Each structure stands twice: as C-alpha cells, then as structure tokens.
Amino acid sequence: MTDYNEAFKAAVAAVRVEGRYRVFADIERIRGDFPQALYHPNETEEARQITVWCSNDYLGMGQHPVVVDAIKNAADKVGAGAGGTRNIAGTTHFHVLLERSLADLHGKEAALLFTSGYVSNEATLSTIARILPDCVILSDELNHASMIEGIRGGRSVKRVWRHNDLDHLEEMLAELPLDRPKVIAFESVYSMDGDIAPLREICDLAEKYNAFTYLDEVHAVGLYGQRGGGIAERDGVAHRIDIIEGTLGKAFGVMGGYIAASAPIIDAIRSYAAGFIFTTALSPVVVAGALASVEKLKESDDLRQAHQARAARLKMLLTEAGLPVMPSVSHIVPIKVGDPVQCKKVTDYLLERHNIYVQPINYPTVPKGTERLRLTPTPLHTDEHMAALLGALDDAWTALKLRRAA
C-alpha cells in the first residue's frame, strides 16, 4: 500500500538535505514606515521591528497614500470582490480604466489584466504557440519560470539561446525559414543578476528575420523610462516590440499582471487564453489601487532617479567594504555566497542578531553554486539603514568565515 504522507515527507526531506528548504518569514508591514516591519518569530515570542532589504515593492508604492486611499475609496464604493470572471460580471469600470492606462503607459492600442505576472506569462506564451501554427519560440536561457512553463504548455518547438548572446540568437534565427512563425521571448531586467537585455539589437534581429517579440518587463515597469514604461521606453523601442508583459506587484506595489500590445493581439489572447478566461477577475479594490499607482508613477520620474541613486550608493558601499557584490547595471544588488547552507545561515544571522531581513536566494531560482543575497534598496532606505546593513554584513561574513571579494 502506498503511504502518501511518507511520499510527501520524503520529497521535503530531499530539499532539506540540499540545504534549500524555504522558511517563510512572518512579517507585518507598518503603513507609513517602510522599510520597517514587524517580525513574528513564533507563537511564544513577541514581535520585534526589523528592516526589510529584499522587498520587490521597489518604490514603496504599496505604502503610498495615493494608493492606499484609492483602495479604501474603492472598497467604500463597490465592495470587495469582482464577483466573477471577466466574461461573467467580473469586468468592472476599474478594470477598463486600468487597461486603458497600461496601454497608454506602453504606447500600445490595448492591454489585458491577469491575476499575476506569472499567470500573464504562462497564459499568453502558451496561447501564442497555439495561435501561430508551426511556431518556434526562441527563449533566453535565463527567462523566468513562468515564461518557461508558458512555452512548455504551448507545445511548440522551443530553442534556447545563451543569455543575452546576440550572435547565438542570430545563428538560430538564420537556420529557420524566413516565413516560419518565430517568437523571441526575453526579459529586460533579469532579476537575479541585475543585468539588462540589449533590446534595440534584439529588435533589429527580429525585424531582419521576421520574428515576433515578447518582452517581460516585470522588474522594469515603473522603474525605468520617463513615465515608467520600462527599459523599452527608456531605450525608445517599445513601438518595435509586439507584446510587453508587466506586473502590478513590484514597482506599482499592489498585485496582478498584464500584457500590452496591438488591439488584434489583445483580442486574440483574451479570446483563447484559459488562464484569463476561467479565473475570477482581480478585485476592483486591488485594481483601483494599481490604477492610482500607475498614474502616479507616470509623473514621478524624481522617484525613479532617487531609486537609482540609492542603488548606486549601496553598490559603492558594499564594494568599498570588500563584500562580494556581483556586477549589476540595474537596481538589483546581489551578494554572492555560493552555498545554500551558508546562504541560509547568513540570512538567519542577520535576522536574529541585527533585525535585518534578507531572504536567501537558492536553487532553483538561481543555478547551484551561485546562491546569494538579493538586496533591493528603495528611495526609502536611508544612509542610516545602509550603515546598519553594512555593519551587519561585515559581522556575518566574519562570524561565518565567508569568502570576501578578491
């Protein structure tokens, strides 16, 4: 007889042996005091205040009065849930307004909301493959798991090109007939290494070889470009990209995902994507908050500039301290540890000894041997926060005898 519980216990035990068992930190954000939060260690210990250094709420918009007020006002006006799928009573006026705002943000004809960035990638990429017969999808090797799952679900031919390697991408494109449908799927900011794709050159290759382009901008929307349209806006190539995918759960500080594209593309995805059709629509309360955030960030380039300045300063301080900060041209600040067990020890040490919260980043999020801390400074992290972090990291590296920068 199969002991089902034992099978699941064994699966978890295998993860523990590898040193990559994940523990959720029970934290309670404090409105108006980001990046501070309350940490609840367990049921017997009292909560204590910590500083969060790993949030994807990159600009603190989840705490912004404009966003919070919009959410409260929407709840007072329409209640909590959408009441159904988008097709069955779930399309509220807030959804319509947000999709218009997102289309405008990216200079596209239309946009489509999903319940998360993961779902928008998975649903859209799998649908593209079904709509385009005999399609070949060329995927950057470091694409997010949601993109990989979407491509797999579409059951099209997939080819993986070396990360940001234009020569390898062109080599693959040149091998395919010019009239065969082909999709280049890539990200702008790669969230674990902090590097940025050469968007203009990828667009050049797409036009040369008659390829469709799909760009994941989840770690760039709100943060780059004059109005927060991402790297595509910053580099002036948004009009050359067929589908731009983004999230409302990072820089915009709320939740949800979306795509922006031409009207025919959006209409087709809306009509065929199971991940859109068969799920309850986002709460209009959430949508109202996201709409307020998107509109606010369209006119808040000063906040983006402050964000970049904070990230640059933290990189400089880490380098000067001799800590193994990994090269990054974006707002992502990774520090290499290189071992899953040690990575967990570092983060535990920081939390217990210094009340600093950083989540360990282990396999499968990053390749084995590249385990790291991933710091995400915001405009709300002060010089005092940075000084405390540097002192805590120096203490942890010394206590745990970790390798420092060469």
Side-chain angles (χ1 to χ4, degrees), residues 5-339:
N5 274 331
E6 286 304 315
F8 288 104
K9 286 180 182 177
V12 173
V15 175
R16 288 184 182 275
V17 167
E18 292 183 26
R20 58 184 183 91
Y21 179 74
R22 302 183 183 207
V23 178
F24 296 155
D26 182 354
I27 65 174
E28 183 180 345
R29 284 158 62 102
I30 305 168
R31 182 189 170 190
D33 201 20
F34 186 78
Q36 303 305 116
L38 290 177
Y39 169 58
H40 298 265
N42 52 55
E43 293 180 0
T44 59
E45 291 184 54
E46 287 189 8
R48 65 178 192 270
Q49 192 167 120
I50 60 171
T51 304
V52 177
W53 273 100
C54 56
S55 174
N56 284 337
D57 188 357
Y58 292 128
L59 302 176
M61 292 303 291
Q63 304 276 308
H64 199 289
V66 167
V67 177
V68 176
D69 288 348
I71 288 172
K72 291 197 302 185
N73 292 337
D76 287 340
K77 185 176 181 180
V78 302
T85 65
R86 287 293 300 277
N87 187 50
I88 305 175
T91 297
T92 73
H93 192 52
F94 287 115
H95 292 80
V96 174
L97 292 177
L98 179 54
E99 287 175 340
R100 287 176 185 167
S101 179
L102 291 167
D104 169 73
L105 176 66
H106 295 290
K108 299 297 185 184
E109 292 179 332
L112 190 66
L113 287 172
F114 292 83
T115 50
S116 74
Y118 189 104
V119 173
S120 57
N121 268 335
E122 185 179 34
T124 304
L125 282 165
S126 63
T127 303
I128 289 171
R130 289 195 293 271
I131 289 175
L132 298 176
D134 198 29
C135 173
V136 178
I137 298 186
L138 300 100
S139 176
D140 184 287
E141 68 176 333
L142 293 189
N143 277 344
H144 191 262
S146 58
M147 300 176 74
I148 294 168
E149 285 302 312
I151 294 166
R152 181 182 291 126
R155 299 180 182 177
S156 63
V157 174
K158 179 185 77 170
R159 301 199 63 185
V160 178
W161 47 291
R162 289 188 294 270
H163 178 54
N164 281 349
D165 188 330
L166 294 167
D167 291 336
H168 192 214
L169 174 59
E170 181 163 22
E171 184 181 306
M172 289 184 170
L173 288 165
E175 292 173 354
L176 299 169
L178 196 63
D179 60 350
R180 184 173 182 180
K182 54 192 80 71
V183 177
I184 304 174
F186 57 107
E187 300 182 36
S188 56
V189 176
Y190 286 84
S191 65
M192 291 302 132
D193 291 332
D195 57 339
I196 295 176
L199 267 59
R200 185 173 289 105
E201 290 80 1
I202 292 173
C203 289
D204 290 342
L205 290 176
E207 290 163 8
K208 180 178 178 180
Y209 292 98
N210 189 33
F212 186 96
T213 44
Y214 183 97
L215 173 63
D216 176 319
E217 287 256 49
V218 296
H219 290 277
V221 290
L223 301 175
Y224 297 86
Q226 188 64 35
R227 298 199 309 151
I231 298 297
E233 183 196 7
R234 186 199 72 175
D235 292 355
V237 297
H239 63 288
R240 302 174 66 191
I241 294 169
D242 294 295
I243 296 181
I244 295 175
E245 184 267 349
T247 182
L248 303 166
K250 293 182 170 59
F252 295 123
V254 193
M255 71 169 292
Y258 68 89
I259 58 171
S262 69
I265 291 172
I266 294 298
D267 202 20
I269 302 301
R270 181 184 70 85
S271 301
Y272 282 88
F276 173 82
I277 296 170
F278 297 107
T279 191
T280 300
L282 282 169
S283 162
V285 172
V286 169
V287 174
L291 174 61
S293 185
V294 171
E295 288 299 310
K296 178 64 177 175
L297 286 181
K298 285 179 181 179
E299 57 186 37
S300 301
D301 195 50
D302 56 334
L303 195 57
R304 282 184 280 279
Q305 297 304 320
H307 180 229
Q308 291 295 318
R310 291 280 82 191
R313 177 164 179 77
L314 181 59
K315 292 175 194 175
M316 179 191 73
L317 292 172
L318 291 168
T319 301
E320 290 176 350
L323 290 160
V325 58
M326 300 167 70
S328 164
V329 295
S330 70
H331 58 283
I332 306 297
V333 185
I335 303 177
K336 186 173 181 180
V337 178
D339 177 86

